[in-house]
Amino acid sequence: MPDELSHPTSDEMDLGAIFAALADPLRRQVVMTLAADPDVVRDCSSFDLPVTKATRTHHFRVLREAGLIHQVDQGNSRTNRLRAAELRRRFPALVDLLLTEARSRKA
């Protein structure tokens, strides 16, 4: 059962929802940024997304509800981290693909 911010458990992660979330280039950019350094936790505002605040909120909600990111409320903002360990347990090849793509973009 998802928690109060609608984070699905590892067993609830759905590959279709993950692919749908990754289909959007801005959401994929967020995931690639987090995958490039999976130990880093970043604020929503630290991502350079050329969209309104409402659209940014929507994109982060889609990523969170698909199970790609974990968010924590920090005052009036939220922090984000890639759910690499959980994703690796559920979809091992997907995490390797994300990490490989993130490294190639970083180079």
Side-chain angles (χ1 to χ4, degrees), residues 48-72:
D48 185 26
L49 302 177
V51 295
T52 65
K53 184 178 178 184
T55 301
R56 178 185 301 259
T57 299
H58 165 75
H59 285 307
F60 281 101
R61 180 181 55 79
V62 170
L63 291 171
R64 183 182 67 240
E65 290 178 355
L68 287 161
I69 64 171
H70 185 266
Q71 291 188 305
V72 175

Side-chain angles (χ1 to χ4, degrees), residues 4-106:
E4 70 280 352
L5 286 178
S6 300
H7 295 105
T9 65
S10 296
D11 291 338
E12 294 170 326
M13 290 177 181
D14 175 70
L15 193 57
I18 288 171
F19 283 153
L22 292 171
D24 182 272
L26 291 178
R27 292 193 290 262
R28 202 166 45 252
Q29 176 186 338
V30 169
V31 171
M32 292 298 107
T33 300
L34 292 170
D37 200 352
D39 295 325
V40 170
V41 176
R42 292 187 54 166
D43 221 69
C44 291
S45 62
S46 71
F47 294 90
D48 185 26
L49 302 177
V51 295
T52 65
K53 184 178 178 184
T55 301
R56 178 185 301 259
T57 299
H58 165 75
H59 285 307
F60 281 101
R61 180 181 55 79
V62 170
L63 291 171
R64 183 182 67 240
E65 290 178 355
L68 287 161
I69 64 171
H70 185 266
Q71 291 188 305
V72 175
D73 286 330
Q74 296 287 322
N76 60 356
S77 66
R78 285 190 173 155
T79 59
N80 305 276
R81 71 164 175 80
L82 184 67
R83 292 179 65 182
E86 298 100 316
L87 288 164
R88 180 165 272 121
R89 279 192 297 277
R90 182 84 166 114
F91 306 109
L94 176 64
V95 173
D96 292 339
L97 175 66
L98 292 172
L99 294 173
T100 299
E101 178 66 14
R103 286 185 197 112
S104 72
R105 289 176 180 234
K106 197 174 185 181

